[in-house]
């Protein structure tokens, strides 16, 4: 068992950008040598809050291994400037660039983007267009593969809540308030409030248009960790199709499945030691780490 030095305490601060401040939590690397810099890209909506503990645990573990990790609340999220209704996909990509700038200036070390769920799709989109910050690797936790599917699933929360409020039969959705109608209204220009979050049409349209199959990351190794409730459960056909497509496109893909509670959506805050261990192993230096 590798024993790592205890990392220094996390450093909270606000990062100034052209559009206000972003709340950041930096975990400095332990030990005399920094092995790399890591920018965490959080998931969407309440998944960000549910995942905070796991993100913090992984960040501390990586810091103990000698990596500097930056957790950054995107515009309109958490303690950063702006309202969620004002959030836009392009602003979030600018936030990633700002985070990469800060890490490069602070550590001057190989850079990893580590994203969870929609944060992973955002990281993929950023990496696909990024020419400013060479990436050493991408680490994807249960990435959203289709923005359109994700948006539809998110809107089902509003449909379900409306049915519960009306006492309606969930198997017989109202044609005017069903998921398809809400999706059309949102993409048609109507702001919608879903689960406490005001979703702007522009943000919805951006999410809707993102497809991981079109964002094959070619410039660096990609470590995709797909989670499953049971070890014997096979990877889904959708995951296998995307993985095959990426490999055919030339992506240096390392896909593994880990048994894990879906901590980003559980009622109570949950942890997954298996996911933490699998991720830390990626950074150990063998076979695909940066050390």
């Amino acid at each position: 068992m590798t024993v790592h030095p205890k990392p220094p305490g996390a450093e909270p601060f606000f990062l100034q950008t052209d559009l206000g401040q972003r709340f950041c939590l930096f975990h400095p690397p332990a030990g005399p040598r920094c092995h790399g810099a890591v920018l965490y890209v959080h998931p969407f909506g309440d998944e960000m809050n549910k995942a905070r503990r796991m993100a913090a645990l992984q960040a501390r573990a990586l810091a103990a291994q000698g990596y500097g990790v930056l957790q950054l609340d995107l515009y309109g999220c958490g303690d950063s400037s702006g309202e969620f209704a004002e959030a836009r996909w392009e602003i979030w990509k600018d936030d990633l660039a700002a985070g990469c700038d800060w890490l490069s200036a602070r550590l001057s070390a190989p850079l990893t983007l580590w994203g969870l769920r929609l944060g992973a799709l955002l990281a993929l989109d950023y990496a696909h267009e990024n020419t400013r910050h060479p990436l050493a690797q991408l680490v994807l936790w249960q990435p959203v593969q289709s923005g359109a599917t994700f948006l539809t699933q998110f809107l089902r929360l509003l449909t379900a809540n409306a049915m519960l409020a009306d006492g309606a039969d969930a198997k017989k959705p109202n044609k005017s308030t069903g998921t398809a109608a809400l999706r059309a209204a949102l993409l048609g220009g109507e702001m919608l409030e879903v689960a406490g979050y005001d979703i702007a049409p522009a943000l919805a349209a951006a999410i809707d248009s993102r497809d991981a199959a079109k964002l094959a990351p070619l410039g660096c190794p990609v470590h995709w960790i797909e989670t499953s409730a049971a070890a014997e459960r096979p990877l889904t056909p959708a995951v296998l199709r995307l993985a095959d497509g990426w490999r055919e496109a030339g992506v240096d893909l390392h896909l593994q499945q880990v048994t894990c509670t879906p901590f980003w959506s559980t009622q109570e805050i949950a942890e997954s030691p298996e996911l933490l261990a699998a991720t830390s192993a990626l950074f150990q230096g063998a076979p695909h780490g940066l050390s």
Side-chain angles (χ1 to χ4, degrees), residues 134-230:
L135 297 177
Q137 62 177 354
L138 276 166
V139 176
L140 310 176
W141 275 5
Q142 192 74 12
V144 167
Q145 300 166 47
S146 164
T149 301
F150 176 83
L151 184 64
T152 297
Q153 292 171 342
F154 190 71
L155 289 175
R156 282 184 185 141
L157 293 174
L158 186 55
T159 307
N161 289 339
M163 288 177 175
L164 289 173
D166 295 342
D169 185 343
K171 295 181 179 179
K172 298 178 180 178
N174 187 312
K175 290 183 179 178
S176 63
T177 59
T179 303
L182 292 171
R183 192 172 186 281
L186 182 58
L187 296 177
E190 182 180 336
M191 179 86 75
L192 289 182
E193 187 267 328
V194 184
Y197 294 89
D198 290 325
I199 312 298
L203 177 61
I207 293 172
D208 189 69
S209 67
R210 263 53 180 190
D211 181 352
K214 300 176 182 176
L215 300 171
L218 297 172
C220 64
V222 179
H223 299 277
W224 175 354
I225 302 181
E226 189 72 9
T227 66
S228 171

Side-chain angles (χ1 to χ4, degrees), residues 87-101:
R88 300 291 183 272
W89 191 261
E90 295 304 318
I91 297 175
W92 288 351
K93 286 203 292 185
D94 289 343
D95 288 348
L96 300 193
C100 291
D101 282 343

Side-chain angles (χ1 to χ4, degrees), residues 2-72:
T2 303
V3 177
H4 300 290
K6 183 178 179 181
E11 303 171 6
F13 69 98
F14 284 95
L15 178 64
Q16 188 64 44
T17 74
D18 293 338
L19 203 58
Q21 296 179 322
R22 303 293 175 273
F23 177 75
C24 296
L25 194 61
F26 178 60
H27 303 262
R33 180 187 169 201
C34 175
H35 298 297
V38 182
L39 177 61
Y40 170 65
V41 191
H42 64 69
F44 185 83
D46 201 43
E47 290 187 0
M48 177 187 75
N49 299 319
K50 294 291 181 63
R52 277 197 186 278
R53 178 159 179 77
M54 275 293 290
L57 289 172
Q58 188 66 72
R60 287 199 286 269
L62 295 178
Q65 290 176 242
Y67 293 85
V69 184
L70 183 65
Q71 295 179 253
L72 180 152

Side-chain angles (χ1 to χ4, degrees), residues 205-270:
I207 293 172
D208 189 69
S209 67
R210 263 53 180 190
D211 181 352
K214 300 176 182 176
L215 300 171
L218 297 172
C220 64
V222 179
H223 299 277
W224 175 354
I225 302 181
E226 189 72 9
T227 66
S228 171
E232 66 276 12
R233 187 171 296 176
L235 291 168
T236 66
V239 168
L240 294 174
R241 275 196 303 274
L242 179 58
D244 288 345
W246 276 4
R247 289 188 175 113
E248 288 174 7
V251 175
D252 182 9
L253 177 64
H254 308 271
L255 171 62
Q256 63 175 303
Q257 184 167 242
V258 172
T259 303
C260 172
T261 300
F263 56 88
W264 56 87
S265 62
T266 50
Q267 190 69 26
E268 304 295 332
I269 300 301

